[in-house]
Amino acid sequence: TMLRVLAGLLPPLSGDVCLFGECLYEMPPQARSPLLQRIGFAFQQDALFSSMTIEDNVGLPLRELTKLPDSIVCEMVRMRLAVVGLEGLGRRMPSQLSGGQRKRAALARASILDPELIFADEPTAGLDPVVAAGIDETIVKFRDVLGITVLVVSHELESIRATADRAVMFANKNIVACGTLDELEHSQDKSVFQFFHARSA
């Protein structure tokens, strides 16, 4: 719900969302498009179009939102698939990929316009630890190599530790902690402490 509100998909019941200094829900809907093109969104269930190849899924934002020639689109898609570890798999259909590979394809599509910000909803949910670690590495690569800020919603502690510079923890519809991982690790709040320590006890 929070990500849908932040991405302009669900108006908040109160308050507003400010992206890049602009109040999203105070703007008329037609004026939001340029602002929202500065973000990418990777859905929890990957949301790939089953009737399209992986390369067509990844290239869709470029074809819909730019006037780039097809040769450039194809090259950008090829390069982005290589970044997320799917080089050579672009001609496959989503049904021919594993769950982890589909998650990588979703991240490639979310990043293809080189957004300033990507929202990623539970990108490692349901994946085994080895595959999840690969997704985490891709997110870190987006941050460190491509310079993209990635806002990740996750319940996976290992993923949080692998990717996060800062974390916000919600409980009972409220923010209970916000800060660096070290600050949250040493929080005196009971719910925060339990999340970071009870599982390893």
Side-chain angles (χ1 to χ4, degrees):
T1 300
M2 182 189 72
L3 287 187
R4 289 179 180 274
V5 171
L6 294 178
L9 301 174
L10 181 67
L13 297 177
S14 62
D16 204 346
V17 173
C18 290
L19 288 175
F20 313 115
E22 301 282 351
C23 292
L24 186 61
Y25 291 99
E26 290 182 2
M27 305 170 68
Q30 63 271 20
R32 295 178 193 165
S33 182
L35 191 68
L36 294 177
Q37 286 182 36
R38 297 167 66 185
I39 68 171
F41 201 114
F43 295 88
Q44 182 175 352
Q45 301 301 327
D46 69 60
L48 299 174
F49 293 101
S50 60
S51 61
M52 299 169 62
T53 64
I54 295 303
E55 61 187 13
D56 284 340
N57 266 285
V58 174
L60 184 63
L62 290 171
R63 292 191 169 96
E64 291 292 321
L65 299 172
T66 77
K67 296 180 180 180
L68 292 171
D70 198 61
S71 60
I72 299 297
V73 170
C74 290
E75 181 62 16
M76 291 177 68
V77 169
R78 185 192 66 77
M79 293 173 65
R80 192 51 48 97
L81 287 175
V83 168
V84 302
L86 294 180
E87 192 168 18
L89 300 181
R91 297 294 179 89
R92 295 191 183 183
M93 306 300 287
S95 61
Q96 296 175 299
L97 299 187
S98 67
Q101 288 172 330
R102 290 196 299 272
K103 296 267 192 176
R104 289 174 181 271
L107 286 169
R109 183 177 61 187
S111 69
I112 194 65
L113 290 172
D114 289 329
E116 297 167 58
L117 173 63
I118 290 176
F119 296 126
D121 187 10
E122 298 278 5
T124 59
L127 302 178
D128 69 60
V130 174
V131 175
I135 298 293
D136 291 337
E137 289 175 6
T138 299
I139 290 172
V140 171
K141 188 182 296 183
F142 281 178
R143 180 192 68 195
D144 295 345
V145 178
L146 301 179
I148 300 172
T149 297
V150 186
L151 192 156
V152 178
V153 169
S154 179
H155 296 86
E156 306 289 338
L157 183 55
E158 291 308 310
S159 180
I160 294 167
R161 285 180 168 146
T163 61
D165 294 315
R166 295 179 62 81
V168 178
M169 185 169 174
F170 289 85
N172 301 317
K173 301 180 182 180
N174 293 300
I175 294 175
V176 295
C178 177
T180 65
L181 288 186
D182 185 65
E183 289 170 341
L184 268 62
E185 293 267 9
H186 295 90
S187 173
Q188 299 302 305
D189 183 279
K190 182 179 179 181
S191 61
V192 179
F193 185 87
Q194 287 179 336
F195 180 80
F196 279 95
H197 300 283
R199 298 182 187 190
S200 58

